[in-house]
Amino acid sequence: MSQIERIFKVKESLLKDVGRAIARIDPKDMAEAGIGVGDIVLAEGKRATPVKVLPCYPEDRGKGIIQIDGITRENAQTGIDEKVKVTAIASKKAAKVVLKPVDGGASSIRGDDAKYIGSLISGLPVMKGDRVKATLFGSRSVHYTVNATAPAGVVLIHPDTSIALELPKKSEGGVNLVTYEDIGGLGTQVQRIREMIELPLKYPEIFDRLGVEPPKGVFLYGPPGTGKTLIVRAVARETDAYFINISGPEIMGKFYGESEARIRNIFAEAEAHAPSIIFIDEIDAIAPRREDMGGEKQVEKRVVAQLLSLMDGLKSRGKVIVIGATNIPNAIDPALRRPGRFDREISVSVPDRNGRLEIIHIHTRGIPLSDDVDLGRIADITHGFVGADLEALAREAAMTALRRILPKIDFELSEIPYELLTQLEVTMENFLDAMKEVEPSAIREFFVEVPNVRWEDVGGHEEVKQALREAVEWPVRYRELFRKTGTIPPKGVILYGKPGTGKTWLAKALATESGVNFISVKGPEIISRFIGESEKAVRELFRLAKQSAPTIIFLDEIDSLAPARGAGGSESSVTQRVISQFLTEMDGIEELKGVFVLAATNRIDLLDPALIRPGRFDLLYEVPPPDVLARVRIFEIHTKSMTLDDDVSISALAESTEGMSGADIEFICRKASMGAISACIALEAGGIDPLHVELRVRDSHFQEAVRLLSSRYRDNGE
């Protein structure tokens, strides 16, 4: 074997390689160094560690890079964009490996864990002092240090290797084990933060040569659960900087000047241990807007002032970088949001489809997935899910799978045998069941359980169905075609017509079939008696919809929310402001991207004319009473669970219900079935058990229901 040494630049590994001690290198470089696929080599930074070599993908070739994960980077004591020396080396089969938990995992170690861990880390090349990771059944990820190997040197773990667990004398909890490979869907944000933090801490001479001050602060903002804190934990570990985490309550003190002194002490500690990072999570709690505070909140004002002076005062704070994070960026004091304090603001938004796929891959690394699980499909249908939601989804799917083996568990045993646990497998059905339990965080306050209504459950209205498919489903499913032609999909559709014709039913079917997020809004939820609150509710509604796009906003009975302005009434000023806000949101300066507004009304004549124009509600569709063919279909839908007598003719019923709406036909079917139930129960008086009588709905029951409805219309003069 050749002993040629090669130097490579370190880059992140692929998600599927994490924890497997794999290094991916250009095949051309492998050939020049005499390294074959699957060979064991030493990757040496400040320390050497063994890795198994595989070829990198075509897009990463010709760059002189080596792709290794965070655990390998830590073992080699190197970082991303640093250089490592690669040397081929001979390895031996491991007879015995002694492992010690690193991250406080000792408390969760079971007596027979060693048997199972061996199967998880089989194939790993290790040497004494290396760190390895074992993911136990998806949820328990435990890091171990290799304390000893037999024989000594570089060894390869195989199925016959004896694994021994050495318990630490005390738990080493609190160790930060997050790496860049544990962050999914935030590649751009991580890159920008690394530019801001790693360069000033590792290479300050670059900024000295340029003659500029290095950046000193980063402000992260975005919805809860998107990964703001996770990014900071990864950066802190990868840069190996001194890390101080601040939470609001620990700053505040009851004595005069105590809160400010605590902040000064934190910055003094950071300067003493420079290079260092100060992370202020939920910064809005300790640095809110001063103009919004009352006169009694003098402590908070002094804390904000102290923070401002420490971040950009007369005294330089040296190699100390401050990172702030919040999910309500507009709540923090504007004086913080300027260069010199927070030099860069980075939005950590709700992940898109590719981001969700990366996150799902990360959270299902250790989960035993069945062959029918399609992670791409899960990524497609989880619109609006943030990283925390997807983690919860994977956990719920695993819990659903666990319920299958619960009947086999003997709860008198102290531990569940691994033989039983190895039967666990998470299926696609488990993930779909878990979807019912996990709601998207981004629209939780507006989240509604969409009923399972399909297009085939809506009788007639084929033209309207097709228009809704084109407006909502096509832009999501065929996004690339819209991009190529520069076509902007319609922003909104109004469905109008008589009551009971199926407008709301069409909206339910659209919500189910499109698979996108669905927000249902009722007028009274928007209107408030306080000035400005109604408009704020509209702004918040559209903000959340854009944040979790693609989203459908459904406004039922929109005439009560946006009547024609100038119509008078005691609430006219409120409704006028609400309408103005709607007009601005739907076709204002800000682009309404990924949000589709569907409205329904039976009084389109009452709507404000400014709403009914292209660019706002582009399409208006009348939903007329169903024709005879549509009525046949509606009768079939509502009678599919009934046992009909031979004398029932669906076509005859459809003919006799001319001018009736879908809601009327649903009433007729329900009334007819109640008539059949009543006839069965009446048999009980004759000593016959109604539960053992065949329940059949007869034509007479339907005719009685039709007569009842017709007489009601006559009485109302319709």
Side-chain angles (χ1 to χ4, degrees):
M1 183 180 291
S2 172
Q3 294 297 315
I4 300 173
E5 295 179 351
R6 294 296 302 265
I7 304 297
F8 296 96
K9 182 186 278 191
V10 176
K11 290 293 181 184
E12 296 104 320
S13 77
L14 304 180
L15 290 177
K16 63 182 180 181
D17 293 342
V18 173
R20 298 170 60 197
I22 286 175
R24 291 191 181 268
I25 301 175
D26 189 334
K28 185 178 177 183
D29 294 328
M30 291 168 59
E32 290 176 2
I35 300 169
V37 175
D39 283 356
I40 307 301
V41 300
L42 278 182
E44 187 176 352
K46 296 184 181 69
R47 178 184 178 275
T49 187
V51 288
K52 187 182 292 184
V53 177
L54 291 178
C56 63
Y57 285 87
E59 60 267 23
D60 296 316
R61 293 176 185 174
K63 300 177 181 177
I65 63 172
I66 180 170
Q67 294 174 296
I68 52 178
D69 67 6
I71 297 172
T72 305
R73 294 197 296 271
E74 183 177 356
N75 288 336
Q77 293 182 11
T78 187
I80 291 174
D81 292 331
E82 295 184 6
K83 301 290 179 65
V84 294
K85 181 172 67 177
V86 172
T87 313
I89 189 173
S91 63
K92 305 167 188 174
K93 281 189 174 183
K96 183 178 181 181
V97 173
V98 180
L99 303 175
K100 184 175 97 170
V102 171
D103 53 343
S107 60
S108 62
I109 290 177
R110 299 158 38 119
D112 54 353
D113 263 357
K115 295 186 297 185
Y116 184 61
I117 289 166
S119 66
L120 292 177
I121 62 176
S122 180
L124 284 186
V126 297
M127 62 190 296
K128 184 178 178 181
D130 278 352
R131 183 170 287 188
V132 297
K133 173 184 174 184
T135 305
L136 307 180
F137 298 111
S139 58
R140 292 169 57 209
S141 291
V142 185
H143 287 243
Y144 299 93
T145 300
V146 178
N147 264 16
T149 64
V154 176
V155 295
L156 193 64
I157 298 172
H158 60 95
D160 297 329
T161 301
S162 171
I163 303 293
L165 293 182
E166 181 182 298
L167 300 186
K169 292 179 182 177
K170 62 178 181 178
S171 172
E172 299 176 30
V175 180
N176 180 16
L177 299 170
V178 180
T179 64
Y180 288 140
E181 286 82 12
D182 295 322
I183 302 171
L186 298 172
T188 304
Q189 289 89 339
V190 169
Q191 183 60 35
R192 293 180 67 194
I193 288 174
R194 287 186 55 226
E195 291 171 3
M196 292 285 294
I197 294 174
E198 286 191 23
L199 284 176
L201 294 183
K202 288 186 176 179
Y203 311 110
E205 62 273 10
I206 295 175
F207 295 91
D208 294 338
R209 177 71 183 90
L210 290 172
V212 296
E213 276 283 315
K216 294 292 182 68
V218 179
F219 180 55
L220 302 176
Y221 65 94
T226 47
K228 300 182 293 295
T229 307
L230 193 69
I231 289 176
V232 178
R233 289 174 62 194
V235 169
R237 186 186 187 207
E238 297 272 1
T239 55
D240 202 24
Y242 188 76
F243 187 71
I244 302 174
N245 186 17
I246 301 177
S247 62
E250 66 189 26
I251 292 294
M252 295 303 177
K254 63 179 179 178
F255 299 110
Y256 191 87
E258 186 179 1
S259 304
E260 301 93 295
R262 286 179 180 175
I263 295 181
R264 288 196 299 272
N265 291 338
I266 287 168
F267 274 80
E269 180 189 350
E271 288 176 30
H273 294 86
S276 55
I277 296 172
I278 298 175
F279 176 46
I280 310 175
D281 205 359
E282 305 299 342
I283 191 172
D284 53 279
I286 64 171
R289 286 174 171 268
R290 284 170 292 181
E291 64 264 31
D292 293 342
M293 300 181 197
E296 72 282 358
K297 293 192 176 181
Q298 293 301 318
V299 176
E300 287 86 347
K301 289 182 179 178
R302 293 199 307 270
V303 168
V304 175
Q306 182 68 75
L307 189 60
L308 294 173
S309 62
L310 287 170
M311 289 188 69
D312 189 27
L314 291 174
K315 181 179 176 233
S316 172
R317 66 174 188 262
K319 291 172 70 174
V320 176
I321 290 177
V322 181
I323 305 176
T326 180
N327 55 349
I328 39 176
N330 295 327
I332 76 163
D333 196 273
L336 279 169
R337 301 178 67 179
R338 71 151 176 85
R341 288 175 179 140
F342 286 123
D343 297 275
R344 182 172 287 181
E345 296 189 0
I346 298 175
S347 170
V348 186
S349 57
V350 176
D352 59 10
R353 189 263 178 195
N354 293 332
R356 292 195 297 270
L357 183 58
E358 284 184 25
I359 295 167
I360 294 166
H361 273 295
I362 289 168
H363 290 303
T364 56
R365 275 180 197 150
I367 294 179
L369 301 176
S370 71
D371 295 337
D372 71 334
V373 174
D374 183 353
L375 297 182
R377 172 65 182 149
I378 295 170
D380 286 334
I381 62 176
T382 48
H383 303 289
F385 279 59
V386 297
D389 297 329
L390 294 169
E391 183 183 9
L393 180 69
R395 184 170 57 247
E396 282 296 327
M399 292 301 296
T400 306
L402 178 63
R403 293 187 192 113
R404 287 204 315 268
I405 69 160
L406 282 178
K408 302 177 185 177
I409 296 175
D410 183 357
F411 288 98
E412 293 182 2
L413 297 175
S414 58
E415 294 177 354
I416 302 172
Y418 270 122
E419 291 73 18
L420 186 57
L421 289 178
T422 51
Q423 298 175 18
L424 276 174
E425 210 175 41
V426 181
T427 65
M428 190 67 177
E429 186 182 352
N430 297 144
F431 277 100
L432 296 177
D433 288 342
M435 285 278 294
K436 300 170 186 173
E437 303 292 331
V438 182
E439 301 171 0
S441 293
I443 56 167
R444 184 153 289 162
E445 57 264 52
F446 288 105
F447 185 78
V448 291
E449 188 69 37
V450 178
N452 190 25
V453 180
R454 299 285 174 186
W455 288 127
E456 57 265 25
D457 297 330
V458 181
H461 310 310
E462 297 305 323
E463 183 188 356
V464 181
K465 289 182 196 173
Q466 184 59 28
L468 293 176
R469 284 194 194 98
E470 292 173 7
V472 179
E473 290 184 29
W474 286 10
V476 174
R477 192 169 298 170
Y478 309 110
R479 186 182 296 111
E480 194 61 24
L481 294 178
F482 279 79
R483 189 190 64 78
K484 283 180 180 178
T485 57
T487 303
I488 299 173
K491 293 180 181 177
V493 169
I494 293 182
L495 304 178
Y496 67 96
K498 292 183 178 179
T501 50
K503 300 181 293 295
T504 306
W505 203 250
L506 281 164
K508 291 178 181 179
L510 178 64
T512 305
E513 293 282 358
S514 62
V516 303
N517 287 318
F518 187 74
I519 297 176
S520 179
V521 180
K522 304 167 189 70
E525 294 176 349
I526 298 290
I527 303 299
S528 170
R529 62 195 177 99
F530 298 107
I531 293 177
E533 285 299 313
S534 302
E535 303 91 291
K536 182 180 177 182
V538 174
R539 286 196 304 272
E540 185 67 10
L541 169 67
F542 278 86
R543 185 186 70 81
L544 288 172
K546 284 185 277 191
Q547 184 176 277
S548 56
T551 307
I552 299 170
I553 298 177
F554 177 51
L555 306 169
D556 205 359
E557 304 297 343
I558 191 175
D559 52 281
S560 66
L561 196 60
R565 286 170 289 184
S570 59
E571 295 295 324
S572 60
S573 60
V574 177
T575 54
Q576 283 184 25
R577 294 197 304 270
V578 169
I579 294 166
S580 300
Q581 189 68 53
F582 258 113
L583 298 176
T584 306
E585 292 291 346
M586 290 196 70
D587 190 28
I589 297 296
E590 289 186 49
E591 185 182 359
L592 191 64
K593 191 175 180 182
V595 178
F596 178 79
V597 185
L598 178 65
T601 179
N602 50 16
R603 290 296 304 274
I604 195 167
D605 54 303
L606 296 181
L607 285 183
D608 191 275
L611 275 175
I612 312 171
R613 73 148 173 86
R616 286 176 179 140
F617 284 107
D618 300 82
L619 305 170
L620 281 72
Y621 282 100
E622 183 178 6
V623 184
D627 59 18
V628 66
L629 292 177
R631 292 198 297 276
V632 168
R633 178 65 190 135
I634 295 169
F635 269 112
E636 289 173 349
I637 291 169
H638 291 300
T639 59
K640 63 184 176 184
S641 300
M642 299 180 188
T643 304
L644 300 180
D645 197 66
D646 295 337
D647 64 347
V648 176
S649 170
I650 295 293
S651 57
L653 287 170
E655 291 285 353
S656 65
T657 51
E658 178 69 34
M660 292 189 182
S661 67
D664 295 333
I665 294 171
E666 183 184 6
F667 168 79
I668 289 167
C669 294
R670 186 168 59 247
K671 186 65 180 173
S673 66
M674 286 299 295
I677 291 170
S678 177
C680 265
I681 293 174
L683 296 174
E684 198 169 21
I688 301 172
D689 187 354
L691 298 178
H692 292 89
V693 176
E694 185 182 11
L695 181 61
R696 300 179 75 87
V697 185
R698 304 180 186 281
D699 184 62
S700 58
H701 299 138
F702 281 101
Q703 296 304 329
E704 179 60 33
V706 171
R707 280 195 296 274
L708 177 65
L709 195 60
S710 299
S711 65
R712 182 187 297 176
Y713 280 140
R714 282 196 302 273
D715 292 344
N716 292 332
E718 297 182 21

